[in-house]
Every structure is written in structure tokens, then in C-alpha cells.
Amino acid sequence: MIIPVMALAGSLGRKKLVATSAGTFPVSGTLFVILLIGTILLVGALTFLPALTLTPILEHFLMLNGKLF
Amino acid sequence: MAAKTHSIFDPAIIVPAIGDSFKKLNPITLAKNPVMFVTEVGAAITTVLLVTGHGANFGFQFQIALWLWFTVLFANFAEAMAEGRGKAQARALRATRTQTFANRLTGKGTVEKVPADQLRKGDVVVVSAGELIPGDGEVIEGAATVDESAITGESAPVIRESGGDRSAVTGGTKVLSDEIKVQITSNPGETFLDRMINLVEGASRQKTPNEIALTILLSALTLIFLIAMMSLKAFGIASSVDFTVPVLVALLVCLIPTTIGGLLSAIGIAGIDRLVQKNVLAMSGRAVEAAGDVDVLLLDKTGTITMGNRQATDFLPAPGVTKQQLADAAQLASLADETPEGRSVVVLAKNFGIRARELSEMANATFVPFSAQTRMSGVDMDGVKYRKGSSDAIRGFVGGKMPEPVETDVKSISGSGGTPLVVASNNKVLGTIQLKDIVKGGLSDRFERFRAMGIRTVMITGDNPLTAAAIAKESGVDDFLAEAKPEHKLALIRKEQLAGHLVAMTGDGTNDAPALAQADVGVAMNTGTQAAKEAGNMVDLDSNPTKLIEVVEIGKQLLITRGALTTFSIANDVAKYFAILPAMLVGTFKEIAPLNIMFLKSPGSAILSAVIFNAVIIIALIPLALHGVKFRPLGAAKILARNLLIYGLGGIILPFVGIKLIDMLITTIGLA
């Protein structure tokens, strides 16, 4: 799993630098932080929810009804 | 006429697009779009299972299969619509190329009449007043007024003449007066219009870098969801829940970003389309994307910022020289000068009683033509070297020093924004010719808009620094480069690019060609030379140097639209999960029912509603994809925040409403 990510980093490292201007998106602002956290949560949730509904979430509902798996 | 906007609901475009949607079902072509390919495979699998009678639930399975096919068809329809509109625009432009006849000059000197599409590169044709120019070419002899409204929509006639920067003519335009000899510069099918039409028609369309990057992202997401699906099946077996294949396929198709996957190519084509509406022909999709990120714009002065035909307005003689003598020498030095400036000097000299000499009368004279390197022109006659040129070129010619009054004249002319040309014979400076430049109207407002977008404007000219400063101030550019030779332009572009800037350049002369090629975005004026148009990656039919504003806006808009729809597509998945997952599990585990927060009627209707929503949202977003998200000239962070709110949050909330409505609809109709 780490190999594709390293490949991605390598490819990005080779790209040329573009000067900052009025059109640049700042990577040190609150918007960026929110965007980053939001994206991680969203994509993570979408990936794992199917499996999660079948186990922990389901178990939670069963527990509320006094049943076990 | 100039291309006009086509309404989206034009039946002439919609009907063939429907036919095309079916043609695009071909898996080999669809494989270019991984997301829709997976959807098509899913639809095929479901259909096969339906036909071989697996599973009892025929009605339900049939509808799932049907809507999966619809999803693929809707995506194809979006692409076909974009292509259809592009073709319609191109057809409107191409219609100007009516079947004309040309008067081709044969080698023997006679004229033969041939159909315009039999003309080949290098043929010379004669076009007289009232005739249509049969193909793209350069004027090699003569001057005429031409009506270019067929291409540009501008009805005021323009002058096209040999020599100088306005020698290019376009096929389909009409000669209004006089007669010109035109050398055809392209074979039929290779004109700029044809090249752009090929770009829009999709057959030879390549993916731009941004599209490739986005497709990789979407493929990665598709792969992730596919793996999640398969693991779900495995979990199901472990928990003894039976997940049927149609249901799993339905879940997969709902999760993968079909909205953006289906609309991606339509957005790209629509971007090029919108450029055509602004009368700009883009030679590559890459150029459009690069335009969105440009932050430095290089502009030629003559012909771009100024009217391009500086007129000689006065002769200012040196002490001890009469105006007559100066006018005489000035005219001699300008006779062989084919530039408009040279011609205007000859014209002005007539006012001083010097009749225009014919070139043929001057058998014992050697003409020295103007060159961008020496920045002088003139004639050697009867042992006397007459020269005219810029003040520092002539200063060098006469040995390093010019009389004080002449220097004063030069300074005062430059300071007022004119161009001084100094005339000398052998080592004697005879005086100065005053040429006046006219700055095109409305430019300072346009440059202000560039500044608001964060683009720096730089004017490049061969003039001396004083003249350049005056013109720069009058037109409102941020910076200027004076006394620039062609290689200086290239060097400046390279310097900016090394500093990490993306450079755009507008130009029209052959000497602009290397710079146009080096720039990240090279916009050639339609009135420019063939070499300039070949070197650049866009052609502006209106020959408006500030057209780049629109190009930049469209480039940015393209990328913003892609981002907005990607966000929307992924945000939609949240609601779809809440629809499908409870539906899948409630059969075995009733307890999970509270997860059904939309209170959908039944598992079957829930899954079906999600699939239907997934398909219908593609059609609903076609107008947005084709028109593009509205671009507001704000900073990047503000635009992003705004669009995240609208498409991100909106993308999360909208499907809840949508799926619920569809669910209510199909249960009332009784389809599930």
C-alpha cells in the first residue's frame, strides 16, 4: 500500500514549481484543514461503511433490541 | 457570421445525440472511460442473470438492469450533446467556406478558373473586387480592402496588403476593392478551422493532462469501491446474509462516481465550444487548461496595443537643414520600405512638394531594406548613404553623436508618446520624422481586469524607452520592455518560466513566432502571418489582444466545473448508502430498520430509487456541464469555499430529498 503512495510522491516531486499568485490556494489556512479532514472522513467512510454496517453498526442495533449476533 | 450560442434544447442537436448515445455503447470506445465501462459491465451482468432466470424477483431485476443501461446511455448522451453543439458551431463557421471558384495563376502567366478545393499549398490566385478569397493565404502583391464579417462578424472592412504584418487573408472573406495576388498557404482540410473542428469532433480528441489526472482519481475510487463490494459479499457469506448479484451491482454503480465519470468529456468539449463562441480557435485542449493558470501576459505594442499603423505627422529638421531637404532624404530612405510607417513617410513627403519617385526611376540606387536587427532602412545612391531609423541606430551610424537640437526633438517626441525616426545621409544627421501611435480604445479597463485576476501585463516594443514608457502609461500595462529585438522576447519568456510563472503571449508577426511557440499559451491574431498562427496554440479571429481575459476565464471555469461536479458526485454517495445498506440488511436483520432514515417503503423500492436517482442526476446536470459553473473573479480560496458549500453540502443533502421523492413516486405507481 505504501508503494503506490511513494510513487505518487516521487512523481509530484519531479514537477516544476509554479509561482504563487492571487489564484493560489493557501495550504496553511482553515479552509484547507477543513477540506483535508472532510475529504479523509468522507472517502474513508464511503470505503468502509459497507463492511462496518455488517458488523459493528449491526451489532449496535441488535444490542439495542437485546439480541446478540 | 460569428458563431452564435446554441440553445441546449435545440432538437436538431438532441435527436442525433440520442442516436449517438447508442453508438457509443461500444465497449471498445467506452473503455476510455473506466467508470462508465464498469457500469456497462454491471448492466450486462445483470441483464445476463435476468435472461438466464437466476433469482425469482423478475420485475425488480428487470428494472435494475433497465436503469443501469439508462445510466450508461445518459452519460453517452451528455458526451454526444457536447459534441453535437461543437459540430453545430463548427458547421456555422465552416459554412463560410462556400464552394467558390478561384482564378489560379499558371506558370505561363495565364489565369485559369478552378474550384476552390482544388487549390494546393503554394498556388497563387488573383482575387479582384467583389470576389471571395478562395482559401487561407498570404498577400504577395497588392493591397485591398477585405470584408471579414463571414469569419469575425465585424462588418467594417480591413486592409490586407503585402509585406508587413497584415498580409494574411482567410478563405471565405470578400475583397471589396482593388486586386491582390494571394499565395495559398494550406491545403484544404488543414486550415485552422478544420483542425479545430477535428478537435471538437472527438474522433481524434486526446485527453488533456487534467482529464488524465482526474480519470486516474476516478479509476482509483472505482477500484476501491469494487474491492469494498467484494469484501461485502464475503462478509455476507460469513453472516449468512444473502447478497444477490443484482443488488451488489446496484450498490457498486451507485457508489462509483458515475456523475462526474459520465460528464467529464462533455465538460472538456463544452470548454472548447465556449472558446469558439468567443471567436477563439483553440488548437489543443491543453492550451485551454494552461490558460486558466496563466499569470504573465506579454503583448506586442504595434498592432496589438496600438493601431499598428503609425503615421508620419511632421518633419523636424536639424539646424542648417531645410524641411524640403529633410523630406527629400526621408522619402528616398523610405521608398523601398514596405511597412506602413515607411509608406506614410513617402506620403508625408508629398506635402512638401516632392513627387513620389518610382522605384524604376532609380536604377543607380541600392536599397537597404528595414531589418529588426539594424532597425534602419535606406538607400545608397550616387555615393550617398541615406538612412532612416531609430535614434540610437542612427547615432551609431553617424559615429556616436548627434546635434543637440536633434536629441531634444527626439526626446520631446518620445515624451509625448510618438516615435521619432532620425534621417541621416552619410555622417550628417538631417533631422527627425515624427510618427504618432494610436493606442486602441478601452484597453486600460481590460488591463485592470487582468490585474484583478492576478495577471501581470508586459508590453514589448522595439521603440526607445521614453516612447515605450509613454505608451505603457497611456494604455495601462504593468511593465514594459523597450528596444526589444525578437530574441529578447524569447529570453523574457524563458526567464519568467524559470521563475515559475505561466506565460501567455499575443502576437501577429513572423518575428513573434519563436516567442509564441515558447509561451505556455500563444494567441496569434487572425490578421497575423501564417508563421505566427502556426507557432501559437490559439487563434483569435477578432485579433483582439485582450481576448486573453475571456480565454483565462474559460480555462479556469473548465477546471472549476470539473471539481464542482466531482465533489457533488462523491457527496451524493452518503445518501445512497443510507438508502441501500439498510435495504440490503433488513431482510435478515429487522433491527437495522432505524438506519432507514428516509423511511423508504421497501428494500426493493429503496434500491431502485437510488439507482434511478443515480441515472437521472446525470441528465439533470448536463446543462451545468455544458454551460460551466459561473466564474466569479475572486481569489482561489473564496471560490473554493463557495463551491464546496454549494456542491459539497448540496451534494450531501440533495440526494436525500431526491431519493425520497423517487421512492414515493415509484411506490404510488406501483413499480416496486
Side-chain angles (χ1 to χ4, degrees), chain A residues 16-26 31 35 42-43 45-47 49-51 53-55 57-58 61-62 65 67 69, chain B residues 221 224-225 228 232 235-236 239 243 295 454 499-501 570 573-574 577 581 585 589 591-592 594-595 635-637 640-641 644:
Chain A
K16 71 167 191 185
L17 288 157
V18 177
T20 40
S21 69
T24 321
F25 175 51
L31 183 61
L35 189 56
L42 187 65
V43 178
L46 292 179
T47 315
L49 264 180
T53 32
L54 207 48
T55 31
I57 298 179
L58 183 59
F61 281 105
L62 286 176
N65 282 314
K67 291 207 194 117
F69 229 147
Chain B
L221 282 174
I224 292 175
F225 288 133
L232 190 61
F235 275 117
S239 315
F243 296 128
D295 51 355
H501 295 287
I570 298 179
D573 285 355
V574 176
Y577 263 140
L581 285 177
L585 294 171
F589 301 102
E591 295 79 6
I592 204 129
L595 221 51
L640 183 59
L644 271 180

Side-chain angles (χ1 to χ4, degrees), chain B residues 309-318 323 326-327 330 334 340-349 351-352 388-390 406 408-423 430-438 463-464 467 470:
Chain B
N309 46 353
R310 284 175 293 182
Q311 297 293 324
T313 48
D314 206 4
F315 289 118
L316 296 145
K323 265 205 178 166
L326 175 58
S334 311
E341 290 87 352
R343 290 214 181 93
S344 73
V345 173
V346 173
V347 165
L348 186 66
N351 293 353
F352 293 88
K388 117 183 155 317
S390 64
V406 175
T408 322
D409 283 343
V410 166
K411 281 210 183 66
S412 70
I413 293 177
S414 312
S416 64
T419 305
L421 283 184
V422 184
V423 183
L430 294 173
T432 325
I433 313 172
Q434 180 181 35
L435 295 176
K436 274 211 159 290
D437 249 319
I438 313 161
D463 288 348
N464 61 67
T467 318

Side-chain angles (χ1 to χ4, degrees), chain B residues 32 52 129 173 182 229 231 243 294 327 361-362 504 558 631 671:
Chain B
K32 280 194 223 148
T52 57
T173 55
V182 177
M229 237 17 56
S231 65
F243 296 128
V294 144
E361 291 175 17
M362 315 194 37
L558 191 65
F631 174 76
L671 284 172

